[in-house]
C-alpha cells in the first residue's frame, strides 16, 4: 500500500529504508539508505559513496539498557542514523545548501515517525520514544567531502524479569 509503513516497530533499518525511498526530498536529491556497523565501520558508506553522494546511514548495531519504568522493566535500544550529503570542496555555499537539506530531511523523517506513532500507538506494546530525540550536526571537516547530522532513535520494549526457579 502506498503511503503505509506496515513494518515491525523494532526494524529501524526497514523504517529508514522506507522513509528514504518514500520521502520526496530524498528521491529528488538521490539519497540512498545503507547500513554500517558503528561509526568506525563505514565501509558500506564509502562503497556506496562512489555511486551516490547522498546517503542515509543506519547503524546496524544498537546500544541497549534495561531500566525500571514503573510499572515493570523495559529494555531501551538506541540506534544511530546519519543523514549525509556530498559537498564540493572548499565551497561554502554548497556546504550551507547541503547542510540545510540534511536538516530538512531529518525534520521530515521525525514528522513522519510522529505520524506513524500516533496511528499505531494503541495496538503496539513496543514503542519508539519520540519525545526526546538527540541529534548532532557534524563539524564542517568531520567527514571528508560530506556534511550532515546524526540522530538517535530509542525503542523501548517491556522486559519480563520475573524470577523462574526452574532456570536455576
Amino acid at each position: 500500500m502506498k503511503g503505509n509503513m506496515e513494518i515491525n516497530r523494532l526494524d529501524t533499518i526497514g523504517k529508514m529504508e522506507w522513509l528514504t525511498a518514500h520521502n520526496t526530498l530524498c528521491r529528488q536529491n538521490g539519497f540512498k539508505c545503507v547500513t554500517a556497523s558503528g561509526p568506525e565501520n563505514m565501509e558500506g558508506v564509502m562503497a556506496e559513496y562512489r555511486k551516490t553522494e547522498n546517503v542515509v546511514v543506519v547503524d546496524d548495531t544498537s546500544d541497549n539498557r534495561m531500566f525500571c519504568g514503573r510499572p515493570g522493566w523495559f529494555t531501551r535500544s538506541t540506534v544511530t542514523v546519519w543523514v549525509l550529503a556530498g559537498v564540493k570542496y572548499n565551497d561554502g555555499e554548497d556546504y550551507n545548501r547541503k547542510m540545510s537539506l540534511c536538516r530538512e530531511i531529518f525534520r521530515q523523517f521525525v514528522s513522519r515517525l510522529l505520524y506513524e506513532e500516533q496511528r499505531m500507538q494503541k495496538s503496539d506494546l513496543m514503542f519508539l520514544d519520540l519525545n526526546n530525540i538527540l541529534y548532532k550536526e557534524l563539524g564542517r571537516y568531520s567527514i571528508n567531502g560530506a556534511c550532515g547530522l546524526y540522530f538517535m532513535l530509542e525503542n523501548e520494549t517491556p522486559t519480563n524479569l520475573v524470577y523462574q526457579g526452574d532456570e536455576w
Side-chain angles (χ1 to χ4, degrees):
M1 288 185 192
K2 189 174 181 181
N4 194 0
M5 193 170 66
E6 295 294 333
I7 52 180
N8 187 315
R9 302 279 282 168
L10 291 175
D11 185 3
T12 307
I13 294 170
K15 272 190 191 120
M16 292 301 117
E17 287 172 343
W18 190 95
L19 290 170
T20 304
H22 289 83
N23 178 269
T24 302
L25 204 51
C26 285
R27 284 195 321 267
Q28 288 172 344
N29 289 280
F31 276 83
K32 182 166 184 188
C33 189
V34 298
T35 60
S37 296
E40 63 281 353
N41 295 308
M42 299 286 265
E43 59 271 341
V45 176
M46 294 304 118
E48 191 57 43
Y49 197 69
R50 291 182 187 94
K51 299 178 216 163
T52 180
E53 65 179 32
N54 300 325
V55 291
V56 173
V57 184
V58 184
D59 187 346
D60 61 8
T61 64
S62 66
D63 294 317
N64 304 287
R65 59 190 168 277
M66 294 174 88
F67 67 97
C68 185
R70 305 273 191 265
W73 284 82
F74 293 82
T75 298
R76 179 178 293 147
S77 301
T78 304
V79 176
T80 305
V81 179
W82 291 269
V83 180
L84 302 173
V87 294
K88 295 176 187 165
Y89 178 73
N90 234 8
D91 186 336
E93 268 186 49
D94 188 51
Y95 174 86
N96 290 334
R97 188 172 42 259
K98 298 291 181 68
M99 195 66 217
S100 293
L101 173 65
C102 292
R103 288 181 190 119
E104 182 58 19
I105 288 171
F106 167 64
R107 187 201 67 75
Q108 290 180 18
F109 278 13
V110 172
S111 174
R112 179 62 190 223
L113 289 169
L114 286 167
Y115 168 79
E116 289 295 329
E117 181 190 47
Q118 292 166 0
R119 191 178 64 80
M120 296 176 73
Q121 192 170 8
K122 291 184 171 86
S123 64
D124 203 340
L125 289 176
M126 296 172 279
F127 59 94
L128 197 58
D129 181 9
L130 297 173
N131 293 319
N132 187 17
I133 300 173
L134 172 70
Y135 76 97
K136 182 174 180 153
E137 294 182 2
L138 302 173
R140 187 172 188 131
Y141 302 107
S142 296
I143 299 177
N144 193 19
C147 68
L149 55 86
Y150 70 87
F151 60 98
M152 301 172 121
L153 295 174
E154 294 184 334
N155 192 50
E156 298 175 350
T157 57
T159 304
N160 183 354
L161 293 179
V162 174
Y163 177 78
Q164 303 290 329
D166 61 348
E167 294 175 347
W168 300 95

